[in-house]
Amino acid sequence: MTQGAAPAGPRPPRSTLVVTAHAGDFVWRAGGAIALAASRGVKVTIACLTFGERGESAKAWREGKKLEEIKGIRREEAEKAAATLGAEVVFFDAGDYPLVSTPELTDRLVILCRRTQPDVVLTHPLDDPYNGDHPAAARMALDARVLAQAVGYPAEGEIIGAPPVFFFEPHQPEMCGFKPEVLLDITAVWDTKRKAMECLAAQRHLWDYYTDLAVRRGVQLKRNAGPNLGLTHRTMAEAYMRPYPQVTEVLD
């Protein structure tokens, strides 16, 4: 250390920001990534823009429940799921079906970016012909990431760097232009993800679908990793895309 220089303080823990349209999205699509990060001491913050109260709570509507009651149900489910994964969830209550992109919402995301200082951002892909809420959330997430870097942007907090962004897998990937460019091994935390999925009773019909998907992506992961890496027989995985180039000094 240079004489007279102050000792360097401890490095702050790494941070991941997850921006999702609805209360269940972060569990189905990125629950493994969230649980893995949390298990390594990463601070994970989930920005849940809506509760999915209108478009993703059919069971509650059919049972005769009212809007505010449904919001409460979905909020409680998301809180339990986030806690199971080891993350903090922040609710924006912006209203779904449709989720409308607005400068006000983007500004709230800018403030959250500056507060959390993410090293990684996870969000939806920019194309989904079945659900416009998902690309709306993604667009605001990308805009907020850029604006949060701008010294002159009038929002509280310190500017951020340029964290890499990963798009998580949509429900119908073939129709959304999604290609599994990154395969994440979530075997070690699969049981945690499954427990978080089971917190979402409003969408119980998706439990088996996303279990099967994790198995299929795990088979893909093993096929692309090669035969001699000591991977467990039953490998579970999640798939991601990257909208920005990877920055590296080594090709591996």
Side-chain angles (χ1 to χ4, degrees), residues 28 56 200-210:
W28 316 122
E56 302 198 345
L200 303 174
Q203 294 177 286
R204 184 170 185 146
H205 60 286
L206 294 178
W207 295 1
D208 288 343
Y209 176 90
Y210 280 99

mmCIF file of all heavy atoms in Angstrom, residues 28 56 200-210:
data_model
loop_
_atom_site.group_PDB
_atom_site.id
_atom_site.type_symbol
_atom_site.label_atom_id
_atom_site.label_comp_id
_atom_site.label_asym_id
_atom_site.label_seq_id
_atom_site.Cartn_x
_atom_site.Cartn_y
_atom_site.Cartn_z
ATOM 1 N N TRP A 28 -40.429 -18.928 -12.497
ATOM 2 C CA TRP A 28 -40.388 -19.885 -13.606
ATOM 3 C C TRP A 28 -39.128 -19.731 -14.428
ATOM 4 O O TRP A 28 -38.476 -20.718 -14.779
ATOM 5 C CB TRP A 28 -41.587 -19.692 -14.539
ATOM 6 C CG TRP A 28 -42.907 -19.504 -13.897
ATOM 7 C CD1 TRP A 28 -43.754 -18.434 -14.039
ATOM 8 C CD2 TRP A 28 -43.591 -20.413 -13.008
ATOM 9 N NE1 TRP A 28 -44.901 -18.622 -13.304
ATOM 10 C CE2 TRP A 28 -44.816 -19.825 -12.658
ATOM 11 C CE3 TRP A 28 -43.268 -21.661 -12.475
ATOM 12 C CZ2 TRP A 28 -45.737 -20.434 -11.807
ATOM 13 C CZ3 TRP A 28 -44.172 -22.275 -11.625
ATOM 14 C CH2 TRP A 28 -45.395 -21.670 -11.297
ATOM 15 N N GLU A 56 -52.909 -13.262 -15.207
ATOM 16 C CA GLU A 56 -52.248 -14.501 -14.808
ATOM 17 C C GLU A 56 -52.789 -15.021 -13.476
ATOM 18 O O GLU A 56 -52.065 -15.636 -12.698
ATOM 19 C CB GLU A 56 -50.736 -14.282 -14.755
ATOM 20 C CG GLU A 56 -50.200 -13.800 -16.104
ATOM 21 C CD GLU A 56 -48.713 -13.974 -16.277
ATOM 22 O OE1 GLU A 56 -48.028 -14.213 -15.265
ATOM 23 O OE2 GLU A 56 -48.247 -13.878 -17.429
ATOM 24 N N LEU A 200 -46.389 -20.691 -5.769
ATOM 25 C CA LEU A 200 -47.273 -20.014 -6.722
ATOM 26 C C LEU A 200 -48.483 -20.890 -7.019
ATOM 27 O O LEU A 200 -48.637 -21.436 -8.121
ATOM 28 C CB LEU A 200 -46.506 -19.685 -8.003
ATOM 29 C CG LEU A 200 -45.249 -18.822 -7.807
ATOM 30 C CD1 LEU A 200 -44.498 -18.684 -9.111
ATOM 31 C CD2 LEU A 200 -45.594 -17.462 -7.233
ATOM 32 N N ALA A 201 -49.356 -21.011 -6.037
ATOM 33 C CA ALA A 201 -50.544 -21.859 -6.200
ATOM 34 C C ALA A 201 -51.472 -21.335 -7.284
ATOM 35 O O ALA A 201 -52.215 -22.102 -7.906
ATOM 36 C CB ALA A 201 -51.284 -21.964 -4.866
ATOM 37 N N ALA A 202 -51.448 -20.026 -7.544
ATOM 38 C CA ALA A 202 -52.324 -19.448 -8.571
ATOM 39 C C ALA A 202 -51.993 -19.973 -9.961
ATOM 40 O O ALA A 202 -52.827 -19.912 -10.862
ATOM 41 C CB ALA A 202 -52.226 -17.925 -8.552
ATOM 42 N N GLN A 203 -50.775 -20.476 -10.151
ATOM 43 C CA GLN A 203 -50.361 -20.984 -11.462
ATOM 44 C C GLN A 203 -49.804 -22.404 -11.339
ATOM 45 O O GLN A 203 -48.802 -22.763 -11.951
ATOM 46 C CB GLN A 203 -49.325 -20.043 -12.072
ATOM 47 C CG GLN A 203 -49.886 -18.661 -12.412
ATOM 48 C CD GLN A 203 -48.828 -17.729 -12.945
ATOM 49 O OE1 GLN A 203 -47.989 -17.233 -12.207
ATOM 50 N NE2 GLN A 203 -48.855 -17.489 -14.248
ATOM 51 N N ARG A 204 -50.508 -23.202 -10.572
ATOM 52 C CA ARG A 204 -50.049 -24.573 -10.329
ATOM 53 C C ARG A 204 -49.864 -25.362 -11.628
ATOM 54 O O ARG A 204 -49.027 -26.280 -11.705
ATOM 55 C CB ARG A 204 -51.056 -25.286 -9.423
ATOM 56 C CG ARG A 204 -50.619 -26.676 -9.025
ATOM 57 C CD ARG A 204 -51.504 -27.273 -7.955
ATOM 58 N NE ARG A 204 -50.976 -28.557 -7.529
ATOM 59 C CZ ARG A 204 -51.062 -29.030 -6.309
ATOM 60 N NH1 ARG A 204 -51.644 -28.323 -5.365
ATOM 61 N NH2 ARG A 204 -50.562 -30.212 -6.007
ATOM 62 N N HIS A 205 -50.636 -25.012 -12.648
ATOM 63 C CA HIS A 205 -50.538 -25.736 -13.914
ATOM 64 C C HIS A 205 -49.166 -25.601 -14.562
ATOM 65 O O HIS A 205 -48.839 -26.357 -15.490
ATOM 66 C CB HIS A 205 -51.617 -25.236 -14.883
ATOM 67 C CG HIS A 205 -51.512 -23.766 -15.191
ATOM 68 N ND1 HIS A 205 -51.874 -22.776 -14.295
ATOM 69 C CD2 HIS A 205 -51.079 -23.123 -16.309
ATOM 70 C CE1 HIS A 205 -51.677 -21.598 -14.837
ATOM 71 N NE2 HIS A 205 -51.194 -21.769 -16.054
ATOM 72 N N LEU A 206 -48.344 -24.664 -14.096
ATOM 73 C CA LEU A 206 -47.022 -24.468 -14.684
ATOM 74 C C LEU A 206 -45.911 -25.220 -13.948
ATOM 75 O O LEU A 206 -44.777 -25.252 -14.439
ATOM 76 C CB LEU A 206 -46.686 -22.968 -14.710
ATOM 77 C CG LEU A 206 -47.554 -22.105 -15.630
ATOM 78 C CD1 LEU A 206 -47.154 -20.639 -15.519
ATOM 79 C CD2 LEU A 206 -47.459 -22.578 -17.082
ATOM 80 N N TRP A 207 -46.214 -25.804 -12.800
ATOM 81 C CA TRP A 207 -45.161 -26.472 -12.021
ATOM 82 C C TRP A 207 -44.467 -27.548 -12.849
ATOM 83 O O TRP A 207 -43.238 -27.585 -12.925
ATOM 84 C CB TRP A 207 -45.731 -27.095 -10.741
ATOM 85 C CG TRP A 207 -46.279 -26.126 -9.743
ATOM 86 C CD1 TRP A 207 -46.349 -24.766 -9.846
ATOM 87 C CD2 TRP A 207 -46.858 -26.463 -8.477
ATOM 88 N NE1 TRP A 207 -46.943 -24.229 -8.726
ATOM 89 C CE2 TRP A 207 -47.258 -25.249 -7.873
ATOM 90 C CE3 TRP A 207 -47.094 -27.668 -7.809
ATOM 91 C CZ2 TRP A 207 -47.872 -25.215 -6.620
ATOM 92 C CZ3 TRP A 207 -47.697 -27.633 -6.559
ATOM 93 C CH2 TRP A 207 -48.074 -26.418 -5.975
ATOM 94 N N ASP A 208 -45.252 -28.446 -13.432
ATOM 95 C CA ASP A 208 -44.662 -29.557 -14.183
ATOM 96 C C ASP A 208 -44.030 -29.083 -15.485
ATOM 97 O O ASP A 208 -42.995 -29.623 -15.918
ATOM 98 C CB ASP A 208 -45.712 -30.632 -14.465
ATOM 99 C CG ASP A 208 -46.100 -31.421 -13.226
ATOM 100 O OD1 ASP A 208 -45.351 -31.366 -12.222
ATOM 101 O OD2 ASP A 208 -47.156 -32.069 -13.250
ATOM 102 N N TYR A 209 -44.643 -28.069 -16.112
ATOM 103 C CA TYR A 209 -44.086 -27.560 -17.371
ATOM 104 C C TYR A 209 -42.651 -27.084 -17.162
ATOM 105 O O TYR A 209 -41.742 -27.425 -17.943
ATOM 106 C CB TYR A 209 -44.949 -26.413 -17.910
ATOM 107 C CG TYR A 209 -44.378 -25.771 -19.151
ATOM 108 C CD1 TYR A 209 -44.706 -26.244 -20.417
ATOM 109 C CD2 TYR A 209 -43.483 -24.701 -19.057
ATOM 110 C CE1 TYR A 209 -44.163 -25.663 -21.567
ATOM 111 C CE2 TYR A 209 -42.935 -24.125 -20.195
ATOM 112 C CZ TYR A 209 -43.274 -24.606 -21.432
ATOM 113 O OH TYR A 209 -42.719 -24.034 -22.556
ATOM 114 N N TYR A 210 -42.432 -26.274 -16.117
ATOM 115 C CA TYR A 210 -41.095 -25.721 -15.910
ATOM 116 C C TYR A 210 -40.131 -26.728 -15.293
ATOM 117 O O TYR A 210 -38.907 -26.579 -15.430
ATOM 118 C CB TYR A 210 -41.177 -24.410 -15.117
ATOM 119 C CG TYR A 210 -41.564 -23.269 -16.024
ATOM 120 C CD1 TYR A 210 -42.872 -22.817 -16.087
ATOM 121 C CD2 TYR A 210 -40.631 -22.705 -16.884
ATOM 122 C CE1 TYR A 210 -43.235 -21.802 -16.962
ATOM 123 C CE2 TYR A 210 -40.985 -21.695 -17.759
ATOM 124 C CZ TYR A 210 -42.281 -21.243 -17.797
ATOM 125 O OH TYR A 210 -42.625 -20.250 -18.683
#
